[in-house]
PDB file of all heavy atoms in Angstrom:
ATOM      1  N   HIS Q   2     -17.503  21.339  -3.504  1.00 69.00           N
ATOM      2  CA  HIS Q   2     -16.662  20.137  -3.553  1.00 69.00           C
ATOM      3  C   HIS Q   2     -17.410  18.939  -4.101  1.00 69.00           C
ATOM      4  O   HIS Q   2     -16.839  18.113  -4.814  1.00 69.00           O
ATOM      5  CB  HIS Q   2     -16.126  19.828  -2.155  1.00 69.00           C
ATOM      6  CG  HIS Q   2     -15.175  20.873  -1.645  1.00 69.00           C
ATOM      7  ND1 HIS Q   2     -14.854  21.009  -0.322  1.00 69.00           N
ATOM      8  CD2 HIS Q   2     -14.464  21.840  -2.282  1.00 69.00           C
ATOM      9  CE1 HIS Q   2     -14.005  22.008  -0.157  1.00 69.00           C
ATOM     10  NE2 HIS Q   2     -13.757  22.520  -1.342  1.00 69.00           N
ATOM     11  N   ARG Q   3     -18.681  18.823  -3.780  1.00 72.00           N
ATOM     12  CA  ARG Q   3     -19.452  17.663  -4.231  1.00 72.00           C
ATOM     13  C   ARG Q   3     -19.606  17.651  -5.744  1.00 72.00           C
ATOM     14  O   ARG Q   3     -19.752  16.587  -6.348  1.00 72.00           O
ATOM     15  CB  ARG Q   3     -20.829  17.650  -3.569  1.00 72.00           C
ATOM     16  CG  ARG Q   3     -20.796  17.406  -2.066  1.00 72.00           C
ATOM     17  CD  ARG Q   3     -22.129  17.714  -1.432  1.00 72.00           C
ATOM     18  NE  ARG Q   3     -22.458  19.137  -1.585  1.00 72.00           N
ATOM     19  CZ  ARG Q   3     -23.581  19.669  -1.130  1.00 72.00           C
ATOM     20  NH1 ARG Q   3     -24.484  18.925  -0.540  1.00 72.00           N
ATOM     21  NH2 ARG Q   3     -23.809  20.967  -1.300  1.00 72.00           N
ATOM     22  N   ASN Q   4     -19.597  18.818  -6.355  1.00 72.00           N
ATOM     23  CA  ASN Q   4     -19.709  18.913  -7.814  1.00 72.00           C
ATOM     24  C   ASN Q   4     -18.414  18.603  -8.529  1.00 72.00           C
ATOM     25  O   ASN Q   4     -18.411  18.217  -9.701  1.00 72.00           O
ATOM     26  CB  ASN Q   4     -20.154  20.320  -8.235  1.00 72.00           C
ATOM     27  CG  ASN Q   4     -21.454  20.762  -7.594  1.00 72.00           C
ATOM     28  OD1 ASN Q   4     -21.601  21.909  -7.234  1.00 72.00           O
ATOM     29  ND2 ASN Q   4     -22.398  19.835  -7.426  1.00 72.00           N
ATOM     30  N   VAL Q   5     -17.303  18.827  -7.834  1.00 76.00           N
ATOM     31  CA  VAL Q   5     -16.011  18.809  -8.526  1.00 76.00           C
ATOM     32  C   VAL Q   5     -15.224  17.521  -8.293  1.00 76.00           C
ATOM     33  O   VAL Q   5     -14.688  16.946  -9.223  1.00 76.00           O
ATOM     34  CB  VAL Q   5     -15.163  20.018  -8.086  1.00 76.00           C
ATOM     35  CG1 VAL Q   5     -13.798  19.996  -8.731  1.00 76.00           C
ATOM     36  CG2 VAL Q   5     -15.895  21.306  -8.447  1.00 76.00           C
ATOM     37  N   PHE Q   6     -15.116  17.073  -7.062  1.00 70.00           N
ATOM     38  CA  PHE Q   6     -14.303  15.880  -6.841  1.00 70.00           C
ATOM     39  C   PHE Q   6     -14.833  15.064  -5.669  1.00 70.00           C
ATOM     40  O   PHE Q   6     -15.615  15.550  -4.852  1.00 70.00           O
ATOM     41  CB  PHE Q   6     -12.841  16.234  -6.618  1.00 70.00           C
ATOM     42  CG  PHE Q   6     -12.596  17.158  -5.442  1.00 70.00           C
ATOM     43  CD1 PHE Q   6     -12.454  16.668  -4.168  1.00 70.00           C
ATOM     44  CD2 PHE Q   6     -12.495  18.530  -5.632  1.00 70.00           C
ATOM     45  CE1 PHE Q   6     -12.222  17.510  -3.095  1.00 70.00           C
ATOM     46  CE2 PHE Q   6     -12.255  19.383  -4.570  1.00 70.00           C
ATOM     47  CZ  PHE Q   6     -12.122  18.876  -3.297  1.00 70.00           C
ATOM     48  N   SER Q   7     -14.400  13.821  -5.633  1.00 72.00           N
ATOM     49  CA  SER Q   7     -14.742  12.927  -4.526  1.00 72.00           C
ATOM     50  C   SER Q   7     -13.533  12.042  -4.257  1.00 72.00           C
ATOM     51  O   SER Q   7     -12.651  11.917  -5.124  1.00 72.00           O
ATOM     52  CB  SER Q   7     -15.964  12.077  -4.892  1.00 72.00           C
ATOM     53  OG  SER Q   7     -15.681  11.252  -6.024  1.00 72.00           O
ATOM     54  N   PRO Q   8     -13.442  11.477  -3.060  1.00 67.00           N
ATOM     55  CA  PRO Q   8     -12.308  10.591  -2.764  1.00 67.00           C
ATOM     56  C   PRO Q   8     -12.206   9.473  -3.784  1.00 67.00           C
ATOM     57  O   PRO Q   8     -13.205   8.913  -4.222  1.00 67.00           O
ATOM     58  CB  PRO Q   8     -12.641  10.061  -1.374  1.00 67.00           C
ATOM     59  CG  PRO Q   8     -13.549  11.082  -0.767  1.00 67.00           C
ATOM     60  CD  PRO Q   8     -14.351  11.629  -1.905  1.00 67.00           C
ATOM     61  N   ALA Q   9     -10.987   9.185  -4.169  1.00 68.00           N
ATOM     62  CA  ALA Q   9     -10.745   8.109  -5.149  1.00 68.00           C
ATOM     63  C   ALA Q   9     -10.829   6.769  -4.422  1.00 68.00           C
ATOM     64  O   ALA Q   9      -9.815   6.134  -4.133  1.00 68.00           O
ATOM     65  CB  ALA Q   9      -9.403   8.292  -5.833  1.00 68.00           C
ATOM     66  N   ILE Q  10     -12.077   6.345  -4.131  1.00 60.00           N
ATOM     67  CA  ILE Q  10     -12.286   5.148  -3.336  1.00 60.00           C
ATOM     68  C   ILE Q  10     -11.697   3.916  -4.024  1.00 60.00           C
ATOM     69  O   ILE Q  10     -11.085   3.051  -3.390  1.00 60.00           O
ATOM     70  CB  ILE Q  10     -13.791   4.946  -3.057  1.00 60.00           C
ATOM     71  CG1 ILE Q  10     -14.322   6.108  -2.226  1.00 60.00           C
ATOM     72  CG2 ILE Q  10     -14.054   3.614  -2.357  1.00 60.00           C
ATOM     73  CD1 ILE Q  10     -15.825   6.069  -1.993  1.00 60.00           C
ATOM     74  N   GLY Q  11     -11.878   3.848  -5.324  1.00 63.00           N
ATOM     75  CA  GLY Q  11     -11.324   2.714  -6.058  1.00 63.00           C
ATOM     76  C   GLY Q  11      -9.819   2.631  -5.912  1.00 63.00           C
ATOM     77  O   GLY Q  11      -9.247   1.537  -5.718  1.00 63.00           O
ATOM     78  N   GLU Q  12      -9.159   3.788  -5.999  1.00 58.00           N
ATOM     79  CA  GLU Q  12      -7.699   3.797  -5.811  1.00 58.00           C
ATOM     80  C   GLU Q  12      -7.342   3.386  -4.382  1.00 58.00           C
ATOM     81  O   GLU Q  12      -6.352   2.682  -4.151  1.00 58.00           O
ATOM     82  CB  GLU Q  12      -7.154   5.198  -6.090  1.00 58.00           C
ATOM     83  CG  GLU Q  12      -7.191   5.606  -7.541  1.00 58.00           C
ATOM     84  CD  GLU Q  12      -6.184   4.833  -8.382  1.00 58.00           C
ATOM     85  OE1 GLU Q  12      -5.046   4.646  -7.909  1.00 58.00           O
ATOM     86  OE2 GLU Q  12      -6.536   4.415  -9.492  1.00 58.00           O
ATOM     87  N   GLY Q  13      -8.152   3.836  -3.419  1.00 54.00           N
ATOM     88  CA  GLY Q  13      -7.878   3.460  -2.033  1.00 54.00           C
ATOM     89  C   GLY Q  13      -7.996   1.981  -1.800  1.00 54.00           C
ATOM     90  O   GLY Q  13      -7.162   1.370  -1.099  1.00 54.00           O
ATOM     91  N   LEU Q  14      -9.043   1.353  -2.381  1.00 60.00           N
ATOM     92  CA  LEU Q  14      -9.224  -0.088  -2.220  1.00 60.00           C
ATOM     93  C   LEU Q  14      -8.080  -0.855  -2.872  1.00 60.00           C
ATOM     94  O   LEU Q  14      -7.596  -1.863  -2.328  1.00 60.00           O
ATOM     95  CB  LEU Q  14     -10.565  -0.503  -2.822  1.00 60.00           C
ATOM     96  CG  LEU Q  14     -11.818   0.008  -2.095  1.00 60.00           C
ATOM     97  CD1 LEU Q  14     -13.060  -0.372  -2.864  1.00 60.00           C
ATOM     98  CD2 LEU Q  14     -11.871  -0.541  -0.676  1.00 60.00           C
ATOM     99  N   LYS Q  15      -7.654  -0.387  -4.050  1.00 64.00           N
ATOM    100  CA  LYS Q  15      -6.524  -1.049  -4.711  1.00 64.00           C
ATOM    101  C   LYS Q  15      -5.266  -0.930  -3.875  1.00 64.00           C
ATOM    102  O   LYS Q  15      -4.470  -1.863  -3.783  1.00 64.00           O
ATOM    103  CB  LYS Q  15      -6.282  -0.430  -6.102  1.00 64.00           C
ATOM    104  CG  LYS Q  15      -7.301  -0.853  -7.137  1.00 64.00           C
ATOM    105  CD  LYS Q  15      -6.850  -0.472  -8.547  1.00 64.00           C
ATOM    106  CE  LYS Q  15      -6.837   1.030  -8.730  1.00 64.00           C
ATOM    107  NZ  LYS Q  15      -6.511   1.405 -10.133  1.00 64.00           N
ATOM    108  N   THR Q  16      -5.083   0.234  -3.211  1.00 59.00           N
ATOM    109  CA  THR Q  16      -3.917   0.437  -2.364  1.00 59.00           C
ATOM    110  C   THR Q  16      -3.924  -0.542  -1.190  1.00 59.00           C
ATOM    111  O   THR Q  16      -2.910  -1.155  -0.862  1.00 59.00           O
ATOM    112  CB  THR Q  16      -3.873   1.881  -1.852  1.00 59.00           C
ATOM    113  OG1 THR Q  16      -3.696   2.761  -2.961  1.00 59.00           O
ATOM    114  CG2 THR Q  16      -2.722   2.079  -0.877  1.00 59.00           C
ATOM    115  N   VAL Q  17      -5.086  -0.657  -0.546  1.00 58.00           N
ATOM    116  CA  VAL Q  17      -5.207  -1.575   0.586  1.00 58.00           C
ATOM    117  C   VAL Q  17      -4.890  -3.002   0.146  1.00 58.00           C
ATOM    118  O   VAL Q  17      -4.144  -3.731   0.822  1.00 58.00           O
ATOM    119  CB  VAL Q  17      -6.625  -1.511   1.204  1.00 58.00           C
ATOM    120  CG1 VAL Q  17      -6.801  -2.615   2.244  1.00 58.00           C
ATOM    121  CG2 VAL Q  17      -6.852  -0.143   1.829  1.00 58.00           C
ATOM    122  N   TRP Q  18      -5.423  -3.399  -1.005  1.00 55.00           N
ATOM    123  CA  TRP Q  18      -5.191  -4.748  -1.521  1.00 55.00           C
ATOM    124  C   TRP Q  18      -3.716  -4.961  -1.843  1.00 55.00           C
ATOM    125  O   TRP Q  18      -3.128  -5.992  -1.467  1.00 55.00           O
ATOM    126  CB  TRP Q  18      -6.057  -4.980  -2.749  1.00 55.00           C
ATOM    127  CG  TRP Q  18      -5.745  -6.238  -3.520  1.00 55.00           C
ATOM    128  CD1 TRP Q  18      -5.220  -6.332  -4.762  1.00 55.00           C
ATOM    129  CD2 TRP Q  18      -5.929  -7.592  -3.069  1.00 55.00           C
ATOM    130  NE1 TRP Q  18      -5.048  -7.630  -5.140  1.00 55.00           N
ATOM    131  CE2 TRP Q  18      -5.500  -8.436  -4.108  1.00 55.00           C
ATOM    132  CE3 TRP Q  18      -6.429  -8.151  -1.906  1.00 55.00           C
ATOM    133  CZ2 TRP Q  18      -5.554  -9.814  -4.009  1.00 55.00           C
ATOM    134  CZ3 TRP Q  18      -6.486  -9.539  -1.805  1.00 55.00           C
ATOM    135  CH2 TRP Q  18      -6.054 -10.357  -2.855  1.00 55.00           C
ATOM    136  N   ARG Q  19      -3.106  -4.009  -2.500  1.00 63.00           N
ATOM    137  CA  ARG Q  19      -1.701  -4.163  -2.873  1.00 63.00           C
ATOM    138  C   ARG Q  19      -0.783  -4.166  -1.653  1.00 63.00           C
ATOM    139  O   ARG Q  19       0.162  -4.936  -1.584  1.00 63.00           O
ATOM    140  CB  ARG Q  19      -1.307  -3.037  -3.824  1.00 63.00           C
ATOM    141  CG  ARG Q  19      -1.944  -3.135  -5.203  1.00 63.00           C
ATOM    142  CD  ARG Q  19      -1.745  -1.848  -5.979  1.00 63.00           C
ATOM    143  NE  ARG Q  19      -2.333  -1.893  -7.305  1.00 63.00           N
ATOM    144  CZ  ARG Q  19      -2.482  -0.834  -8.086  1.00 63.00           C
ATOM    145  NH1 ARG Q  19      -2.077   0.359  -7.665  1.00 63.00           N
ATOM    146  NH2 ARG Q  19      -3.019  -0.961  -9.274  1.00 63.00           N
ATOM    147  N   VAL Q  20      -1.074  -3.269  -0.694  1.00 58.00           N
ATOM    148  CA  VAL Q  20      -0.251  -3.204   0.515  1.00 58.00           C
ATOM    149  C   VAL Q  20      -0.366  -4.513   1.288  1.00 58.00           C
ATOM    150  O   VAL Q  20       0.638  -5.039   1.809  1.00 58.00           O
ATOM    151  CB  VAL Q  20      -0.679  -2.017   1.406  1.00 58.00           C
ATOM    152  CG1 VAL Q  20      -0.030  -2.125   2.788  1.00 58.00           C
ATOM    153  CG2 VAL Q  20      -0.278  -0.706   0.753  1.00 58.00           C
ATOM    154  N   THR Q  21      -1.604  -5.051   1.367  1.00 67.00           N
ATOM    155  CA  THR Q  21      -1.805  -6.315   2.072  1.00 67.00           C
ATOM    156  C   THR Q  21      -0.974  -7.427   1.435  1.00 67.00           C
ATOM    157  O   THR Q  21      -0.350  -8.241   2.138  1.00 67.00           O
ATOM    158  CB  THR Q  21      -3.302  -6.698   2.058  1.00 67.00           C
ATOM    159  OG1 THR Q  21      -4.052  -5.657   2.676  1.00 67.00           O
ATOM    160  CG2 THR Q  21      -3.530  -8.004   2.805  1.00 67.00           C
ATOM    161  N   ARG Q  22      -0.961  -7.463   0.124  1.00 64.00           N
ATOM    162  CA  ARG Q  22      -0.193  -8.500  -0.577  1.00 64.00           C
ATOM    163  C   ARG Q  22       1.307  -8.317  -0.417  1.00 64.00           C
ATOM    164  O   ARG Q  22       2.056  -9.290  -0.372  1.00 64.00           O
ATOM    165  CB  ARG Q  22      -0.540  -8.460  -2.071  1.00 64.00           C
ATOM    166  CG  ARG Q  22      -1.947  -8.910  -2.392  1.00 64.00           C
ATOM    167  CD  ARG Q  22      -2.178  -8.910  -3.879  1.00 64.00           C
ATOM    168  NE  ARG Q  22      -1.229  -9.755  -4.586  1.00 64.00           N
ATOM    169  CZ  ARG Q  22      -1.050  -9.757  -5.903  1.00 64.00           C
ATOM    170  NH1 ARG Q  22      -1.752  -8.922  -6.645  1.00 64.00           N
ATOM    171  NH2 ARG Q  22      -0.169 -10.562  -6.468  1.00 64.00           N
ATOM    172  N   GLN Q  23       1.760  -7.047  -0.338  1.00 66.00           N
ATOM    173  CA  GLN Q  23       3.198  -6.794  -0.321  1.00 66.00           C
ATOM    174  C   GLN Q  23       3.781  -6.671   1.076  1.00 66.00           C
ATOM    175  O   GLN Q  23       5.001  -6.660   1.244  1.00 66.00           O
ATOM    176  CB  GLN Q  23       3.496  -5.498  -1.089  1.00 66.00           C
ATOM    177  CG  GLN Q  23       3.195  -5.569  -2.572  1.00 66.00           C
ATOM    178  CD  GLN Q  23       3.649  -4.324  -3.302  1.00 66.00           C
ATOM    179  OE1 GLN Q  23       4.491  -3.583  -2.825  1.00 66.00           O
ATOM    180  NE2 GLN Q  23       3.083  -4.091  -4.474  1.00 66.00           N
ATOM    181  N   LEU Q  24       2.914  -6.563   2.095  1.00 64.00           N
ATOM    182  CA  LEU Q  24       3.408  -6.265   3.433  1.00 64.00           C
ATOM    183  C   LEU Q  24       4.391  -7.327   3.947  1.00 64.00           C
ATOM    184  O   LEU Q  24       5.487  -6.998   4.407  1.00 64.00           O
ATOM    185  CB  LEU Q  24       2.223  -6.143   4.402  1.00 64.00           C
ATOM    186  CG  LEU Q  24       2.589  -5.749   5.840  1.00 64.00           C
ATOM    187  CD1 LEU Q  24       3.322  -4.410   5.853  1.00 64.00           C
ATOM    188  CD2 LEU Q  24       1.342  -5.688   6.708  1.00 64.00           C
ATOM    189  N   VAL Q  25       4.000  -8.599   3.875  1.00 64.00           N
ATOM    190  CA  VAL Q  25       4.864  -9.668   4.400  1.00 64.00           C
ATOM    191  C   VAL Q  25       6.167  -9.747   3.625  1.00 64.00           C
ATOM    192  O   VAL Q  25       7.260  -9.768   4.225  1.00 64.00           O
ATOM    193  CB  VAL Q  25       4.109 -11.014   4.388  1.00 64.00           C
ATOM    194  CG1 VAL Q  25       5.072 -12.142   4.762  1.00 64.00           C
ATOM    195  CG2 VAL Q  25       2.937 -10.975   5.349  1.00 64.00           C
ATOM    196  N   PRO Q  26       6.143  -9.781   2.270  1.00 71.00           N
ATOM    197  CA  PRO Q  26       7.427  -9.802   1.538  1.00 71.00           C
ATOM    198  C   PRO Q  26       8.327  -8.606   1.850  1.00 71.00           C
ATOM    199  O   PRO Q  26       9.544  -8.748   1.955  1.00 71.00           O
ATOM    200  CB  PRO Q  26       6.974  -9.796   0.074  1.00 71.00           C
ATOM    201  CG  PRO Q  26       5.603 -10.371   0.087  1.00 71.00           C
ATOM    202  CD  PRO Q  26       4.995  -9.899   1.364  1.00 71.00           C
ATOM    203  N   LEU Q  27       7.709  -7.417   2.043  1.00 66.00           N
ATOM    204  CA  LEU Q  27       8.505  -6.231   2.351  1.00 66.00           C
ATOM    205  C   LEU Q  27       9.145  -6.338   3.727  1.00 66.00           C
ATOM    206  O   LEU Q  27      10.301  -5.938   3.916  1.00 66.00           O
ATOM    207  CB  LEU Q  27       7.649  -4.979   2.248  1.00 66.00           C
ATOM    208  CG  LEU Q  27       7.337  -4.469   0.845  1.00 66.00           C
ATOM    209  CD1 LEU Q  27       6.348  -3.298   0.905  1.00 66.00           C
ATOM    210  CD2 LEU Q  27       8.607  -4.021   0.129  1.00 66.00           C
ATOM    211  N   LEU Q  28       8.392  -6.825   4.691  1.00 69.00           N
ATOM    212  CA  LEU Q  28       8.948  -6.995   6.036  1.00 69.00           C
ATOM    213  C   LEU Q  28      10.093  -8.007   6.026  1.00 69.00           C
ATOM    214  O   LEU Q  28      11.119  -7.807   6.702  1.00 69.00           O
ATOM    215  CB  LEU Q  28       7.849  -7.437   7.002  1.00 69.00           C
ATOM    216  CG  LEU Q  28       6.822  -6.354   7.384  1.00 69.00           C
ATOM    217  CD1 LEU Q  28       5.722  -6.952   8.258  1.00 69.00           C
ATOM    218  CD2 LEU Q  28       7.515  -5.200   8.103  1.00 69.00           C
ATOM    219  N   LYS Q  29       9.911  -9.102   5.292  1.00 72.00           N
ATOM    220  CA  LYS Q  29      10.993 -10.093   5.175  1.00 72.00           C
ATOM    221  C   LYS Q  29      12.237  -9.479   4.547  1.00 72.00           C
ATOM    222  O   LYS Q  29      13.353  -9.721   4.987  1.00 72.00           O
ATOM    223  CB  LYS Q  29      10.511 -11.282   4.348  1.00 72.00           C
ATOM    224  CG  LYS Q  29       9.499 -12.167   5.063  1.00 72.00           C
ATOM    225  CD  LYS Q  29       9.112 -13.339   4.170  1.00 72.00           C
ATOM    226  CE  LYS Q  29       8.135 -14.263   4.880  1.00 72.00           C
ATOM    227  NZ  LYS Q  29       7.728 -15.412   4.011  1.00 72.00           N
ATOM    228  N   LEU Q  30      12.006  -8.641   3.524  1.00 69.00           N
ATOM    229  CA  LEU Q  30      13.115  -7.987   2.832  1.00 69.00           C
ATOM    230  C   LEU Q  30      13.844  -7.039   3.794  1.00 69.00           C
ATOM    231  O   LEU Q  30      15.081  -6.989   3.817  1.00 69.00           O
ATOM    232  CB  LEU Q  30      12.594  -7.220   1.618  1.00 69.00           C
ATOM    233  CG  LEU Q  30      13.645  -6.507   0.764  1.00 69.00           C
ATOM    234  CD1 LEU Q  30      14.575  -7.507   0.086  1.00 69.00           C
ATOM    235  CD2 LEU Q  30      12.952  -5.648  -0.298  1.00 69.00           C
ATOM    236  N   TYR Q  31      13.038  -6.322   4.591  1.00 67.00           N
ATOM    237  CA  TYR Q  31      13.633  -5.371   5.540  1.00 67.00           C
ATOM    238  C   TYR Q  31      14.448  -6.092   6.606  1.00 67.00           C
ATOM    239  O   TYR Q  31      15.566  -5.661   6.969  1.00 67.00           O
ATOM    240  CB  TYR Q  31      12.530  -4.553   6.196  1.00 67.00           C
ATOM    241  CG  TYR Q  31      13.045  -3.517   7.168  1.00 67.00           C
ATOM    242  CD1 TYR Q  31      13.670  -2.365   6.712  1.00 67.00           C
ATOM    243  CD2 TYR Q  31      12.906  -3.687   8.546  1.00 67.00           C
ATOM    244  CE1 TYR Q  31      14.154  -1.407   7.603  1.00 67.00           C
ATOM    245  CE2 TYR Q  31      13.384  -2.752   9.438  1.00 67.00           C
ATOM    246  CZ  TYR Q  31      14.007  -1.609   8.961  1.00 67.00           C
ATOM    247  OH  TYR Q  31      14.480  -0.669   9.845  1.00 67.00           O
ATOM    248  N   VAL Q  32      13.914  -7.206   7.121  1.00 71.00           N
ATOM    249  CA  VAL Q  32      14.648  -7.982   8.143  1.00 71.00           C
ATOM    250  C   VAL Q  32      15.929  -8.549   7.561  1.00 71.00           C
ATOM    251  O   VAL Q  32      16.991  -8.524   8.198  1.00 71.00           O
ATOM    252  CB  VAL Q  32      13.748  -9.116   8.704  1.00 71.00           C
ATOM    253  CG1 VAL Q  32      14.572 -10.065   9.584  1.00 71.00           C
ATOM    254  CG2 VAL Q  32      12.591  -8.529   9.484  1.00 71.00           C
ATOM    255  N   ARG Q  33      15.847  -9.043   6.330  1.00 74.00           N
ATOM    256  CA  ARG Q  33      17.016  -9.641   5.701  1.00 74.00           C
ATOM    257  C   ARG Q  33      18.127  -8.625   5.466  1.00 74.00           C
ATOM    258  O   ARG Q  33      19.314  -8.937   5.511  1.00 74.00           O
ATOM    259  CB  ARG Q  33      16.587 -10.292   4.379  1.00 74.00           C
ATOM    260  CG  ARG Q  33      17.704 -11.149   3.760  1.00 74.00           C
ATOM    261  CD  ARG Q  33      17.136 -12.145   2.750  1.00 74.00           C
ATOM    262  NE  ARG Q  33      16.380 -11.501   1.684  1.00 74.00           N
ATOM    263  CZ  ARG Q  33      15.084 -11.652   1.511  1.00 74.00           C
ATOM    264  NH1 ARG Q  33      14.382 -12.410   2.341  1.00 74.00           N
ATOM    265  NH2 ARG Q  33      14.475 -11.046   0.515  1.00 74.00           N
ATOM    266  N   HIS Q  34      17.710  -7.368   5.203  1.00 72.00           N
ATOM    267  CA  HIS Q  34      18.710  -6.315   4.923  1.00 72.00           C
ATOM    268  C   HIS Q  34      18.690  -5.253   6.014  1.00 72.00           C
ATOM    269  O   HIS Q  34      18.946  -4.078   5.738  1.00 72.00           O
ATOM    270  CB  HIS Q  34      18.406  -5.682   3.576  1.00 72.00           C
ATOM    271  CG  HIS Q  34      18.529  -6.623   2.416  1.00 72.00           C
ATOM    272  ND1 HIS Q  34      19.740  -6.955   1.850  1.00 72.00           N
ATOM    273  CD2 HIS Q  34      17.581  -7.330   1.737  1.00 72.00           C
ATOM    274  CE1 HIS Q  34      19.543  -7.807   0.847  1.00 72.00           C
ATOM    275  NE2 HIS Q  34      18.242  -8.048   0.763  1.00 72.00           N
ATOM    276  N   TYR Q  35      18.388  -5.662   7.230  1.00 72.00           N
ATOM    277  CA  TYR Q  35      18.327  -4.720   8.346  1.00 72.00           C
ATOM    278  C   TYR Q  35      19.661  -3.971   8.496  1.00 72.00           C
ATOM    279  O   TYR Q  35      20.730  -4.590   8.483  1.00 72.00           O
ATOM    280  CB  TYR Q  35      18.007  -5.445   9.647  1.00 72.00           C
ATOM    281  CG  TYR Q  35      17.868  -4.524  10.843  1.00 72.00           C
ATOM    282  CD1 TYR Q  35      16.730  -3.751  10.997  1.00 72.00           C
ATOM    283  CD2 TYR Q  35      18.899  -4.420  11.771  1.00 72.00           C
ATOM    284  CE1 TYR Q  35      16.596  -2.886  12.076  1.00 72.00           C
ATOM    285  CE2 TYR Q  35      18.778  -3.552  12.857  1.00 72.00           C
ATOM    286  CZ  TYR Q  35      17.620  -2.788  12.991  1.00 72.00           C
ATOM    287  OH  TYR Q  35      17.505  -1.931  14.060  1.00 72.00           O
ATOM    288  N   GLY Q  36      19.571  -2.697   8.638  1.00 68.00           N
ATOM    289  CA  GLY Q  36      20.789  -1.884   8.751  1.00 68.00           C
ATOM    290  C   GLY Q  36      21.251  -1.319   7.415  1.00 68.00           C
ATOM    291  O   GLY Q  36      22.038  -0.384   7.372  1.00 68.00           O
ATOM    292  N   GLU Q  37      20.760  -1.920   6.336  1.00 72.00           N
ATOM    293  CA  GLU Q  37      21.130  -1.457   5.010  1.00 72.00           C
ATOM    294  C   GLU Q  37      19.991  -0.662   4.353  1.00 72.00           C
ATOM    295  O   GLU Q  37      20.224   0.252   3.592  1.00 72.00           O
ATOM    296  CB  GLU Q  37      21.494  -2.649   4.109  1.00 72.00           C
ATOM    297  CG  GLU Q  37      22.664  -3.468   4.640  1.00 72.00           C
ATOM    298  CD  GLU Q  37      22.915  -4.696   3.771  1.00 72.00           C
ATOM    299  OE1 GLU Q  37      22.340  -4.766   2.663  1.00 72.00           O
ATOM    300  OE2 GLU Q  37      23.679  -5.575   4.206  1.00 72.00           O
TER     301      GLU Q  37
END
């Protein structure tokens, strides 16, 4: 495994950053359209 692949750490960090930025807007969107 060490020769072939490794965790995509860069992708993971980008995911954490993007989720952090989008979390509040997404929650607001969900509350605004709750039930839908």
